[in-house]
Amino acid sequence: MTTTVAGLDSVTNDQVTAARATWTAFRRNPLGMVSVGILVLLVIVAICAPLIAEYPTGYGDAVLQGPSGAHWFGTDNLGRDIFAEVVWGARLSIVIAALSSALAIAIGVVVAVLGAYFPKADAVIGTIVDLCLSLPVLPLMILVAALAGPSLVTLVLVIAFFSWPEVTRVVRSQALSVVRLPYMDAAKLTGGSSFWIIRKHLLPAVAPVIVVSVVLTASRAVLSAAGLAFLGLGDPTSWSWGRILYEAQQSGAMQSAWWTTLFPSLAMLFLVVSATLISIAYNDARNPRARED
């Protein structure tokens, strides 16, 4: 028993050492660090939106004016400042991304870990995941959002509901390889409960995959929320990047005033590309061969 416990402690120490080596390698990747900086900047803009720009409401005299010193990103068809719309849109877009990805990750990880640890449940879970992944996601998201009515809660629940199967697929494949390792059998021999083994050993082993899933799911959630808002299924009471595009399309300014769509599109592009580059840099940092190079 003493040898078994010592082996489990050795595994835990190896995980801590690997995590430190991964973080050290990640910091040496300039592309990854720049991407982290962009994401942090967008989050700061979302949090500090009231300090950066006034909430865009009502009407203005400067209708469809291009970028200038008075209006950095120009104005829309009602004379509202697009810079303020993009700043306040960052708040709602990031809130939707954070909440929907957190819910999708929670559901996906729980289902994936239970399926990997309990073989009898894995067949059922695998079938459900494969079925969900084979469905046409975008049309179903549009249908559910239209039936439920546009609101923040609807967007979060719809995006999370259609995102968790992808999380489950990725985490489950990693968890299945972990449960077959000798130290998992040693953990069972110590007499620990299934919950303790999952929490203490299985979840830490799949944590790197979960980190990547969080970043990618959040970026996809931003695109999904923007797509639904562009179709008129977003929250009509709050600004989002998708709503800016929707109003530009509805007013006809999308064809005549390029600035009405450029800046919210760039904001989404920066967020999605940064999230993707972070996941790539993180995967490279986890690879021991890449760290040696």
Side-chain angles (χ1 to χ4, degrees):
M1 182 66 69
T2 303
T3 304
T4 302
V5 174
L8 293 177
D9 291 338
S10 176
V11 170
T12 302
N13 293 333
D14 290 343
Q15 291 174 348
V16 173
T17 302
R20 291 175 179 173
T22 298
W23 171 238
T24 301
F26 184 86
R27 285 187 300 175
R28 294 174 181 171
N29 189 323
L31 202 58
M33 294 303 296
V34 169
S35 299
V36 170
I38 293 175
L39 280 184
V40 171
L41 178 61
L42 289 173
V43 172
I44 292 174
V45 168
I47 295 173
C48 302
L51 303 176
I52 299 174
E54 294 183 1
Y55 190 82
T57 57
Y59 306 89
D61 297 330
V63 176
L64 289 179
Q65 288 192 358
S68 63
H71 303 284
W72 294 351
F73 292 175
T75 60
D76 64 7
N77 62 300
L78 296 179
R80 295 170 299 198
D81 186 65
I82 295 180
F83 174 75
E85 294 175 359
V86 172
V87 169
W88 282 91
R91 168 169 287 194
L92 183 63
S93 299
I94 291 179
V95 165
I96 291 174
L99 294 179
S100 58
S101 63
L103 183 57
I105 292 296
I107 298 173
V109 170
V110 169
V111 174
V113 168
L114 292 178
Y117 191 81
F118 300 103
K120 293 182 179 180
D122 186 55
V124 177
I125 290 175
T127 302
I128 294 174
V129 171
D130 291 339
L131 177 62
C132 292
L133 291 175
S134 66
L135 296 175
V137 175
L138 182 58
L140 288 176
M141 289 178 66
I142 295 173
L143 176 62
V144 174
L147 293 175
S151 68
L152 175 61
V153 175
T154 299
L155 286 176
V156 170
L157 293 179
V158 167
I159 294 173
F161 180 77
F162 288 101
S163 299
W164 72 264
E166 181 64 26
V167 177
T168 298
R169 184 186 67 84
V170 175
V171 177
R172 174 171 164 264
S173 62
Q174 178 70 16
L176 284 172
S177 62
V178 172
V179 295
R180 300 188 182 99
L181 296 178
Y183 81 90
M184 291 296 293
D185 295 330
K188 295 177 182 178
L189 292 175
T190 62
S193 64
S194 298
F195 176 77
W196 180 83
I197 295 174
I198 292 174
R199 179 178 60 85
K200 191 71 175 179
H201 299 290
L202 185 54
L203 282 177
V206 299
V209 179
I210 297 175
V211 172
V212 175
S213 297
V214 168
V215 177
L216 293 180
T217 303
S219 64
R220 291 170 186 163
V222 170
L223 291 179
S224 299
L228 292 174
F230 180 72
L231 295 173
L233 299 173
D235 186 356
T237 63
S238 302
W239 282 103
S240 67
W241 295 332
R243 179 187 168 185
I244 301 173
L245 298 177
Y246 169 74
E247 296 207 353
Q249 189 271 337
Q250 289 293 305
S251 65
M254 182 175 287
Q255 289 76 25
S256 59
W258 55 267
W259 56 89
T260 58
T261 57
L262 175 63
F263 296 107
S265 300
L266 286 178
M268 285 186 285
L269 179 66
F270 284 141
L271 191 149
V272 173
V273 171
S274 297
T276 303
L277 292 178
I278 287 174
S279 65
I280 294 174
Y282 184 74
N283 279 327
D284 290 343
R286 287 177 54 214
N287 188 347
R289 294 181 180 178
R291 290 202 296 262
E292 291 175 359
D293 295 338

